[in-house]
Coordinates of all heavy atoms in Angstrom, one line a residue:
Chain A
D10 N -21.1 -34.3 -20.7 CA -19.8 -34.8 -21.3 C -18.6 -34.1 -20.7 O -17.6 -34.6 -20.5 CB -19.8 -34.5 -22.8 CG -20.9 -35.3 -23.5 OD1 -21.2 -36.4 -23.0 OD2 -21.4 -34.9 -24.6
T11 N -18.8 -32.8 -20.4 CA -17.7 -32.1 -19.9 C -17.8 -31.6 -18.5 O -16.9 -31.1 -17.9 CB -17.5 -30.8 -20.8 OG1 -18.7 -30.0 -20.6 CG2 -17.2 -31.1 -22.2
F12 N -19.0 -31.8 -18.0 CA -19.3 -31.3 -16.6 C -19.0 -29.8 -16.5 O -18.7 -29.4 -15.5 CB -18.6 -32.1 -15.6 CG -19.3 -33.4 -15.2 CD1 -18.9 -34.6 -15.7 CD2 -20.5 -33.4 -14.5 CE1 -19.5 -35.8 -15.4 CE2 -21.2 -34.6 -14.2 CZ -20.7 -35.8 -14.7
S13 N -19.2 -29.1 -17.6 CA -19.0 -27.7 -17.5 C -20.2 -27.0 -17.0 O -21.4 -27.4 -17.4 CB -18.5 -27.1 -18.8 OG -19.6 -27.0 -19.7
C14 N -20.1 -26.0 -16.2 CA -21.2 -25.4 -15.6 C -21.6 -24.2 -16.5 O -20.7 -23.5 -17.0 CB -20.8 -24.8 -14.2 SG -22.1 -23.8 -13.5
P15 N -22.9 -24.0 -16.8 CA -23.3 -23.0 -17.7 C -23.1 -21.6 -17.2 O -23.2 -20.6 -17.9 CB -24.8 -23.3 -18.0 CG -25.2 -24.0 -16.8 CD -24.1 -24.7 -16.3
L16 N -22.9 -21.4 -15.9 CA -22.7 -20.1 -15.3 C -21.5 -19.4 -15.9 O -20.4 -20.1 -16.0 CB -22.6 -20.2 -13.8 CG -23.9 -20.5 -13.0 CD1 -23.6 -20.7 -11.6 CD2 -24.9 -19.3 -13.2
P17 N -21.6 -18.2 -16.3 CA -20.4 -17.5 -16.8 C -19.4 -17.3 -15.7 O -19.8 -17.2 -14.5 CB -20.9 -16.2 -17.3 CG -22.2 -15.9 -16.5 CD -22.8 -17.3 -16.2
R18 N -18.1 -17.4 -16.0 CA -17.1 -17.1 -15.0 C -17.0 -15.7 -14.8 O -16.9 -14.9 -15.7 CB -15.8 -17.7 -15.5 CG -15.6 -19.1 -15.5 CD -14.3 -19.5 -16.2 NE -13.2 -19.2 -15.4 CZ -12.6 -20.1 -14.5 NH1 -13.2 -21.2 -14.3 NH2 -11.6 -19.8 -13.8
R19 N -17.0 -15.3 -13.5 CA -16.9 -13.9 -13.2 C -15.4 -13.6 -13.2 O -14.6 -14.5 -13.0 CB -17.5 -13.6 -11.8 CG -19.0 -13.7 -11.8 CD -19.5 -13.3 -10.4 NE -18.8 -14.1 -9.4 CZ -18.8 -13.8 -8.2 NH1 -19.3 -12.6 -7.8 NH2 -18.2 -14.5 -7.3
D20 N -15.1 -12.3 -13.3 CA -13.7 -11.9 -13.3 C -13.0 -12.3 -12.0 O -11.8 -12.7 -11.9 CB -13.5 -10.4 -13.5 CG -13.3 -10.1 -15.0 OD1 -12.9 -11.1 -15.7 OD2 -13.5 -9.0 -15.4
D21 N -13.8 -12.2 -10.9 CA -13.1 -12.6 -9.6 C -13.1 -14.1 -9.3 O -12.9 -14.5 -8.2 CB -13.7 -11.8 -8.4 CG -15.2 -12.0 -8.3 OD1 -15.8 -12.8 -9.1 OD2 -15.9 -11.3 -7.5
D22 N -13.4 -14.8 -10.4 CA -13.2 -16.3 -10.3 C -11.8 -16.7 -10.4 O -11.5 -17.9 -10.4 CB -14.0 -17.0 -11.4 CG -15.5 -17.2 -11.0 OD1 -15.8 -16.8 -9.8 OD2 -16.3 -17.6 -11.8
F23 N -10.9 -15.7 -10.7 CA -9.5 -16.0 -10.8 C -8.8 -15.6 -9.5 O -9.1 -14.7 -8.8 CB -8.9 -15.2 -11.9 CG -9.4 -15.6 -13.3 CD1 -10.5 -14.9 -13.8 CD2 -8.8 -16.6 -14.0 CE1 -11.0 -15.3 -15.1 CE2 -9.3 -17.0 -15.2 CZ -10.4 -16.4 -15.7
I24 N -7.8 -16.5 -9.2 CA -7.0 -16.1 -8.0 C -6.0 -15.1 -8.4 O -5.3 -15.3 -9.5 CB -6.2 -17.4 -7.5 CG1 -7.2 -18.5 -7.2 CG2 -5.3 -17.1 -6.4 CD1 -8.1 -18.2 -6.0
S25 N -5.9 -14.0 -7.7 CA -4.9 -13.0 -8.0 C -3.9 -13.0 -6.9 O -4.1 -13.6 -5.8 CB -5.5 -11.6 -8.2 OG -6.0 -11.2 -6.9
L26 N -2.7 -12.3 -7.1 CA -1.7 -12.3 -6.1 C -2.2 -11.8 -4.8 O -1.7 -12.2 -3.7 CB -0.5 -11.4 -6.6 CG 0.4 -12.1 -7.6 CD1 1.4 -11.1 -8.1 CD2 1.2 -13.3 -6.9
A27 N -3.2 -10.9 -4.8 CA -3.7 -10.3 -3.6 C -4.3 -11.3 -2.7 O -4.4 -11.1 -1.5 CB -4.7 -9.2 -4.0
H28 N -4.8 -12.4 -3.3 CA -5.4 -13.5 -2.5 C -4.4 -14.1 -1.5 O -4.7 -14.8 -0.6 CB -6.1 -14.6 -3.4 CG -7.4 -14.1 -3.9 ND1 -7.6 -13.8 -5.3 CD2 -8.6 -13.9 -3.3 CE1 -8.8 -13.5 -5.5 NE2 -9.5 -13.5 -4.3
G29 N -3.1 -14.0 -1.9 CA -2.0 -14.5 -1.0 C -1.4 -13.5 -0.2 O -0.4 -13.8 0.4
G30 N -2.0 -12.3 -0.1 CA -1.3 -11.2 0.6 C -1.5 -11.1 2.1 O -0.9 -10.3 2.8
G31 N -2.3 -12.1 2.7 CA -2.4 -12.1 4.1 C -3.4 -11.1 4.6 O -3.5 -10.9 5.8

Side-chain angles (χ1 to χ4, degrees):
Chain A
D10 294 332
T11 59
F12 278 103
S13 74
C14 174
L16 285 173
R18 283 172 76 89
R19 291 183 307 160
D20 265 340
D21 57 6
D22 278 353
F23 294 92
I24 302 295
S25 69
L26 280 174
H28 283 109

